[in-house]
Amino acid sequence: MKYKVKVKVPVEKRGLFGIKKTVMETKVIEVDKKTYKKMKREAKNRPYSIGEMMLYDELFDE
């Protein structure tokens, strides 16, 4: 079975005056069941971001 998953991919683009910069673009890719389960497991075990940590500090008054 194939799954369609949205992923963010770094892409180099030329900005003003021809300066290269790296931006994150969202693309849809198709993966098989094994890869899909691995991606879900990694997403669940990722560390908290700075914004999430600040939100939890506010909620729990630490």
Side-chain angles (χ1 to χ4, degrees), residues 25-56:
E25 285 187 355
T26 304
K27 293 188 178 186
V28 177
I29 60 170
E30 285 189 3
V31 294
D32 60 343
K33 186 175 184 177
K34 182 179 177 182
T35 308
Y36 179 75
K37 284 187 175 187
K38 181 181 174 187
M39 290 173 73
K40 285 293 190 182
R41 192 171 39 244
E42 288 174 357
K44 188 169 66 171
N45 293 330
R46 70 171 173 74
Y48 293 127
S49 67
I50 300 295
E52 289 172 329
M53 283 191 261
M54 292 174 63
L55 174 68
Y56 292 141

